[in-house]
Amino acid sequence: MSQPGQILNTAGEPEREAHPRRVNALNAFGVMCGVLFVLWPFCFGWGVLGQAPWVSAVGKGAMLLGFVWAVVLTPLWHRDTLESLGLGSPRRLLALIRDRSGAARWRILAVFFTVIGGIVWFSLADWPDAAKFFRLPKPYRMAPDSFGEFAAIAILSLCAATILATFVIRYDNLGSAFGLALKISVAFLAYATLAAWLARGPKAFAKFELLDHTLDAATHMFWGLIQQLTFTAFFATRLRKAFAPSASPSNTTPAKRRLLVAVLGGVVAAATLGPAVWLAMRTVHGPLVAPSLLTGCVAFAFPAGVVWTHFFCRDKKRMIVATLTGSCFGLIHIDSYGLVLLTTILGTSFAYAAMEDRFRNLAAFAFVHGLLGATVTKLFAGKGIWKISLSVGPWAVKEPTAAVLLVPLICLAAYGALAMWTARKLQNEEAGS
């Protein structure tokens, strides 16, 4: 049971909350509709197709306001705790160090100083990318060529690393969160590596060098952390608080039937998702997509369907809410639709995990995000039908036509309709309680 000032999330765990479920839902869907509207009907329709020069500045300003609302103002308004956002705090870090003793205390300190040392090393080893992340002007992004510049970079990096290690990383659940992160990473990497090898052969691995890939992954982890502040800390938090845990006995499939149902889910995915992916590729790339590729799409859709259905059987409502949340993460990456598919799957995994406090850790999610982002983009680098582009948004469209607006407008209408339906449903539930 939740206490006053608390709310049970979709997984049944209590979290602090100052507003009803309906407000959480409208906040999430409202921001998603706003993002889609600003990026596509406004920036693409008016700015790219209409060639209005002032649209870019206004659109970027609107997106910045949305970021401030999602990351700063919303948590204050809803009275979210830092734990519910997956973040750490200096007070909790000091309490952990004070309350632990022996090896447990030294493990926390070791992780703390390793994080600081790793960030400083990354900054010194690859300063141009680090400076780009810090949003420094271009003249300051050159590699240091004197002791004074090297010392300045080291001091700046040490300050930034200390802030990140103290205020962002959550240490109390670091072990369980990173344990899950490693499992997710291994599963996705195995899947992506097999797909790249079957699609591109040995040349898929031609660009891999250990040091270069390590630095690239570190850069992606920083950007992943920024994205997770808006996705997991905002969308996942709001939507898991918007939907109560299910009280229906049918919400969970009996254990003895789960394997059969999961296999059937794989069959359904193979029969629907596989052909849909092939058809989408065929529509975009034409004859370059051979009919024989349909077999590969079907084969890869089957295990994805089995895994999704397995977790659906464990808690149907939780998996549906996680998938809905993952779609928010995915559709922000329009119109790189290969990336939309991958980020929707990844976002669903993050949203499902974040419903439990023991896994809710933005640093762990950023680790997965960065490692997979750096690896997948190299596996599928180059030209051709297998290229996964990280260039997304209205100004990244290579062939701007009005037809590009079709998918964003459909998604905008769907989220708007879902917002109205959810608000009415939750209002009736609140009135009846």
Side-chain angles (χ1 to χ4, degrees):
M1 295 292 292
S2 59
Q3 303 297 322
Q6 287 187 333
I7 200 168
L8 292 180
N9 68 25
T10 312
E13 290 194 353
E15 295 187 55
R16 192 167 72 182
E17 176 56 51
H19 297 285
R21 297 188 187 278
R22 174 168 45 92
V23 176
N24 282 274
L26 289 175
N27 195 349
F29 291 133
V31 169
M32 191 61 196
C33 289
V35 169
L36 289 174
F37 177 81
V38 169
L39 288 179
W40 296 104
F42 182 69
C43 289
F44 183 78
W46 205 343
V48 177
L49 296 181
Q51 298 183 347
W54 53 270
V55 167
S56 176
V58 174
K60 290 177 181 178
M63 295 301 290
L64 178 60
L65 290 175
F67 179 82
V68 172
W69 168 255
V71 175
V72 179
L73 300 180
T74 282
L76 295 175
W77 186 44
H78 284 268
R79 296 189 63 202
D80 296 321
T81 63
L82 290 171
E83 291 94 331
S84 70
L85 301 176
L87 295 170
S89 72
R91 179 180 297 179
R92 194 177 334 116
L93 174 59
L94 291 174
L96 281 172
I97 295 173
R98 183 187 64 243
D99 296 340
R100 304 286 174 87
S101 60
R105 176 182 293 174
W106 285 110
R107 278 196 297 269
I108 295 174
L109 291 172
V111 172
F112 177 77
F113 287 110
T114 298
V115 169
I116 292 177
I119 295 173
V120 172
W121 171 79
F122 160 72
S123 299
L124 297 177
D126 191 14
W127 174 247
D129 281 336
K132 185 178 180 181
F133 173 78
F134 292 137
R135 295 289 186 180
L136 296 181
K138 289 185 178 180
Y140 296 96
R141 297 182 186 181
M142 302 297 293
D145 57 3
S146 67
F147 177 78
E149 291 181 355
F150 188 87
I153 289 173
I155 293 172
L156 174 63
S157 302
L158 181 61
C159 293
T162 303
I163 292 172
L164 182 65
T166 305
F167 288 88
V168 175
I169 296 179
R170 183 178 172 183
Y171 294 88
D172 60 324
N173 67 353
L174 203 59
S176 58
F178 264 87
L180 178 64
L182 287 174
K183 293 177 182 177
I184 293 175
S185 299
V186 169
F188 274 87
L189 287 175
Y191 209 65
T193 301
L194 178 60
W197 180 76
L198 291 174
R200 305 185 65 226
K203 66 180 181 180
F205 310 95
K207 294 187 177 182
F208 279 87
E209 296 180 4
L210 181 60
L211 178 59
D212 177 67
H213 189 61
T214 301
L215 294 173
D216 195 22
T219 303
H220 277 78
M221 287 176 195
F222 285 125
W223 288 115
L225 179 61
I226 298 298
Q227 291 187 45
Q228 291 311 312
L229 279 171
T230 54
F231 171 66
T232 303
F234 176 72
F235 285 109
T237 301
R238 299 279 68 84
L239 289 176
R240 71 171 180 265
K241 288 185 177 182
F243 297 98
S246 175
S248 172
S250 62
N251 185 60
T252 301
T253 302
K256 62 182 180 181
R257 294 185 58 239
R258 289 179 188 173
L259 178 59
L260 175 60
V261 176
V263 172
L264 290 175
V267 172
V268 171
T272 56
L273 182 60
V277 171
W278 179 86
L279 183 60
M281 295 176 65
R282 182 84 173 187
T283 301
V284 174
H285 299 287
L288 291 175
V289 181
S292 59
L293 186 59
L294 176 60
T295 303
C297 292
V298 169
F300 272 80
F302 176 77
V306 170
V307 172
W308 189 92
T309 309
H310 167 74
F311 286 99
F312 177 76
C313 289
R314 294 177 60 179
D315 189 328
K316 296 176 183 178
K317 188 172 186 179
R318 177 177 174 178
M319 195 61 195
I320 291 173
V321 173
T323 305
L324 173 63
T325 309
S327 73
C328 296
F329 186 42
L331 291 171
I332 289 174
H333 294 84
I334 296 173
D335 89 313
S336 176
Y337 287 103
L339 197 57
V340 168
L341 178 61
L342 293 176
T343 51
T344 297
I345 296 171
L346 189 61
T348 300
S349 304
F350 290 161
Y352 190 94
M355 292 185 191
E356 294 185 50
D357 182 73
R358 60 182 175 142
F359 298 131
R360 197 179 303 137
N361 192 308
L362 288 195
F365 297 150
F367 169 81
V368 179
H369 191 135
L371 182 59
L372 294 179
T375 304
V376 169
T377 51
K378 284 187 178 179
L379 288 173
F380 295 94
K383 298 179 180 180
I385 63 174
W386 296 107
K387 178 178 174 59
I388 295 179
S389 175
L390 293 182
S391 298
V392 299
W395 289 279
V397 178
K398 294 181 179 179
E399 298 180 3
T401 64
V404 174
L405 285 171
L406 180 61
V407 173
L409 288 176
I410 291 173
C411 295
L412 179 59
Y415 282 117
L418 188 58
M420 291 186 290
W421 177 83
T422 303
R424 186 178 299 110
K425 183 176 184 298
L426 293 177
Q427 186 176 27
N428 291 337
E429 290 179 358
E430 292 163 9
S433 61

PDB file of all heavy atoms in Angstrom, residues 418-432:
ATOM      1  N   LEU A 418      -3.898   8.828 -27.532  1.00  0.00           N
ATOM      2  CA  LEU A 418      -3.597   8.051 -26.333  1.00  0.00           C
ATOM      3  C   LEU A 418      -3.621   8.923 -25.090  1.00  0.00           C
ATOM      4  O   LEU A 418      -4.083   8.489 -24.026  1.00  0.00           O
ATOM      5  CB  LEU A 418      -2.220   7.396 -26.491  1.00  0.00           C
ATOM      6  CG  LEU A 418      -1.796   6.395 -25.417  1.00  0.00           C
ATOM      7  CD1 LEU A 418      -2.798   5.247 -25.320  1.00  0.00           C
ATOM      8  CD2 LEU A 418      -0.405   5.860 -25.721  1.00  0.00           C
ATOM      9  N   ALA A 419      -3.157  10.172 -25.218  1.00  0.00           N
ATOM     10  CA  ALA A 419      -3.189  11.097 -24.081  1.00  0.00           C
ATOM     11  C   ALA A 419      -4.623  11.359 -23.633  1.00  0.00           C
ATOM     12  O   ALA A 419      -4.930  11.335 -22.430  1.00  0.00           O
ATOM     13  CB  ALA A 419      -2.494  12.407 -24.457  1.00  0.00           C
ATOM     14  N   MET A 420      -5.514  11.609 -24.588  1.00  0.00           N
ATOM     15  CA  MET A 420      -6.906  11.888 -24.241  1.00  0.00           C
ATOM     16  C   MET A 420      -7.584  10.663 -23.633  1.00  0.00           C
ATOM     17  O   MET A 420      -8.319  10.773 -22.645  1.00  0.00           O
ATOM     18  CB  MET A 420      -7.663  12.373 -25.486  1.00  0.00           C
ATOM     19  CG  MET A 420      -7.232  13.737 -25.960  1.00  0.00           C
ATOM     20  SD  MET A 420      -8.256  14.383 -27.320  1.00  0.00           S
ATOM     21  CE  MET A 420      -7.745  13.296 -28.654  1.00  0.00           C
ATOM     22  N   TRP A 421      -7.337   9.488 -24.226  1.00  0.00           N
ATOM     23  CA  TRP A 421      -7.948   8.265 -23.703  1.00  0.00           C
ATOM     24  C   TRP A 421      -7.443   7.959 -22.295  1.00  0.00           C
ATOM     25  O   TRP A 421      -8.224   7.625 -21.395  1.00  0.00           O
ATOM     26  CB  TRP A 421      -7.626   7.101 -24.633  1.00  0.00           C
ATOM     27  CG  TRP A 421      -8.165   5.780 -24.136  1.00  0.00           C
ATOM     28  CD1 TRP A 421      -9.430   5.300 -24.294  1.00  0.00           C
ATOM     29  CD2 TRP A 421      -7.452   4.794 -23.387  1.00  0.00           C
ATOM     30  NE1 TRP A 421      -9.556   4.068 -23.700  1.00  0.00           N
ATOM     31  CE2 TRP A 421      -8.351   3.725 -23.134  1.00  0.00           C
ATOM     32  CE3 TRP A 421      -6.143   4.697 -22.918  1.00  0.00           C
ATOM     33  CZ2 TRP A 421      -7.976   2.597 -22.420  1.00  0.00           C
ATOM     34  CZ3 TRP A 421      -5.773   3.567 -22.205  1.00  0.00           C
ATOM     35  CH2 TRP A 421      -6.680   2.524 -21.962  1.00  0.00           C
ATOM     36  N   THR A 422      -6.146   8.083 -22.090  1.00  0.00           N
ATOM     37  CA  THR A 422      -5.562   7.788 -20.777  1.00  0.00           C
ATOM     38  C   THR A 422      -6.049   8.778 -19.727  1.00  0.00           C
ATOM     39  O   THR A 422      -6.374   8.389 -18.595  1.00  0.00           O
ATOM     40  CB  THR A 422      -4.021   7.839 -20.858  1.00  0.00           C
ATOM     41  OG1 THR A 422      -3.558   6.923 -21.850  1.00  0.00           O
ATOM     42  CG2 THR A 422      -3.404   7.482 -19.519  1.00  0.00           C
ATOM     43  N   ALA A 423      -6.101  10.061 -20.077  1.00  0.00           N
ATOM     44  CA  ALA A 423      -6.547  11.075 -19.125  1.00  0.00           C
ATOM     45  C   ALA A 423      -7.985  10.812 -18.686  1.00  0.00           C
ATOM     46  O   ALA A 423      -8.320  10.913 -17.493  1.00  0.00           O
ATOM     47  CB  ALA A 423      -6.428  12.464 -19.747  1.00  0.00           C
ATOM     48  N   ARG A 424      -8.846  10.464 -19.644  1.00  0.00           N
ATOM     49  CA  ARG A 424     -10.251  10.190 -19.302  1.00  0.00           C
ATOM     50  C   ARG A 424     -10.364   8.942 -18.423  1.00  0.00           C
ATOM     51  O   ARG A 424     -11.106   8.927 -17.431  1.00  0.00           O
ATOM     52  CB  ARG A 424     -11.060  10.000 -20.591  1.00  0.00           C
ATOM     53  CG  ARG A 424     -12.570   9.857 -20.354  1.00  0.00           C
ATOM     54  CD  ARG A 424     -13.337   9.719 -21.653  1.00  0.00           C
ATOM     55  NE  ARG A 424     -13.175  10.885 -22.494  1.00  0.00           N
ATOM     56  CZ  ARG A 424     -12.493  10.901 -23.640  1.00  0.00           C
ATOM     57  NH1 ARG A 424     -11.911   9.784 -24.070  1.00  0.00           N
ATOM     58  NH2 ARG A 424     -12.406  11.998 -24.355  1.00  0.00           N
ATOM     59  N   LYS A 425      -9.602   7.906 -18.768  1.00  0.00           N
ATOM     60  CA  LYS A 425      -9.648   6.660 -18.005  1.00  0.00           C
ATOM     61  C   LYS A 425      -9.152   6.869 -16.581  1.00  0.00           C
ATOM     62  O   LYS A 425      -9.772   6.420 -15.610  1.00  0.00           O
ATOM     63  CB  LYS A 425      -8.810   5.599 -18.707  1.00  0.00           C
ATOM     64  CG  LYS A 425      -8.830   4.219 -18.040  1.00  0.00           C
ATOM     65  CD  LYS A 425      -8.038   3.230 -18.885  1.00  0.00           C
ATOM     66  CE  LYS A 425      -8.134   1.811 -18.283  1.00  0.00           C
ATOM     67  NZ  LYS A 425      -7.577   1.709 -16.928  1.00  0.00           N
ATOM     68  N   LEU A 426      -8.035   7.579 -16.437  1.00  0.00           N
ATOM     69  CA  LEU A 426      -7.469   7.791 -15.101  1.00  0.00           C
ATOM     70  C   LEU A 426      -8.336   8.734 -14.286  1.00  0.00           C
ATOM     71  O   LEU A 426      -8.444   8.594 -13.057  1.00  0.00           O
ATOM     72  CB  LEU A 426      -6.040   8.350 -15.223  1.00  0.00           C
ATOM     73  CG  LEU A 426      -5.008   7.389 -15.825  1.00  0.00           C
ATOM     74  CD1 LEU A 426      -3.651   8.072 -15.977  1.00  0.00           C
ATOM     75  CD2 LEU A 426      -4.867   6.130 -14.957  1.00  0.00           C
ATOM     76  N   GLN A 427      -8.968   9.706 -14.946  1.00  0.00           N
ATOM     77  CA  GLN A 427      -9.865  10.611 -14.219  1.00  0.00           C
ATOM     78  C   GLN A 427     -11.058   9.832 -13.662  1.00  0.00           C
ATOM     79  O   GLN A 427     -11.497  10.070 -12.530  1.00  0.00           O
ATOM     80  CB  GLN A 427     -10.328  11.731 -15.141  1.00  0.00           C
ATOM     81  CG  GLN A 427     -11.155  12.813 -14.421  1.00  0.00           C
ATOM     82  CD  GLN A 427     -11.494  13.954 -15.365  1.00  0.00           C
ATOM     83  OE1 GLN A 427     -11.585  13.782 -16.583  1.00  0.00           O
ATOM     84  NE2 GLN A 427     -11.668  15.142 -14.799  1.00  0.00           N
ATOM     85  N   ASN A 428     -11.589   8.902 -14.438  1.00  0.00           N
ATOM     86  CA  ASN A 428     -12.706   8.097 -13.951  1.00  0.00           C
ATOM     87  C   ASN A 428     -12.264   7.196 -12.787  1.00  0.00           C
ATOM     88  O   ASN A 428     -13.006   7.021 -11.825  1.00  0.00           O
ATOM     89  CB  ASN A 428     -13.242   7.215 -15.085  1.00  0.00           C
ATOM     90  CG  ASN A 428     -13.945   8.050 -16.169  1.00  0.00           C
ATOM     91  OD1 ASN A 428     -14.397   9.165 -15.910  1.00  0.00           O
ATOM     92  ND2 ASN A 428     -14.010   7.516 -17.379  1.00  0.00           N
ATOM     93  N   GLU A 429     -11.044   6.673 -12.878  1.00  0.00           N
ATOM     94  CA  GLU A 429     -10.531   5.841 -11.777  1.00  0.00           C
ATOM     95  C   GLU A 429     -10.356   6.680 -10.514  1.00  0.00           C
ATOM     96  O   GLU A 429     -10.648   6.223  -9.393  1.00  0.00           O
ATOM     97  CB  GLU A 429      -9.212   5.203 -12.182  1.00  0.00           C
ATOM     98  CG  GLU A 429      -9.345   4.127 -13.251  1.00  0.00           C
ATOM     99  CD  GLU A 429      -8.005   3.540 -13.637  1.00  0.00           C
ATOM    100  OE1 GLU A 429      -6.965   4.012 -13.089  1.00  0.00           O
ATOM    101  OE2 GLU A 429      -7.965   2.641 -14.507  1.00  0.00           O
ATOM    102  N   GLU A 430      -9.843   7.919 -10.670  1.00  0.00           N
ATOM    103  CA  GLU A 430      -9.658   8.789  -9.503  1.00  0.00           C
ATOM    104  C   GLU A 430     -11.001   9.179  -8.887  1.00  0.00           C
ATOM    105  O   GLU A 430     -11.129   9.263  -7.653  1.00  0.00           O
ATOM    106  CB  GLU A 430      -8.880  10.031  -9.911  1.00  0.00           C
ATOM    107  CG  GLU A 430      -7.430   9.755 -10.286  1.00  0.00           C
ATOM    108  CD  GLU A 430      -6.796  10.904 -11.063  1.00  0.00           C
ATOM    109  OE1 GLU A 430      -7.439  11.985 -11.145  1.00  0.00           O
ATOM    110  OE2 GLU A 430      -5.689  10.737 -11.605  1.00  0.00           O
ATOM    111  N   ALA A 431     -11.991   9.389  -9.734  1.00  0.00           N
ATOM    112  CA  ALA A 431     -13.326   9.771  -9.222  1.00  0.00           C
ATOM    113  C   ALA A 431     -13.979   8.610  -8.498  1.00  0.00           C
ATOM    114  O   ALA A 431     -14.740   8.801  -7.535  1.00  0.00           O
ATOM    115  CB  ALA A 431     -14.206  10.236 -10.378  1.00  0.00           C
ATOM    116  N   GLY A 432     -13.669   7.384  -8.936  1.00  0.00           N
ATOM    117  CA  GLY A 432     -14.288   6.231  -8.317  1.00  0.00           C
ATOM    118  C   GLY A 432     -13.567   5.711  -7.092  1.00  0.00           C
ATOM    119  O   GLY A 432     -14.091   4.853  -6.368  1.00  0.00           O
TER     120      GLY A 432
END
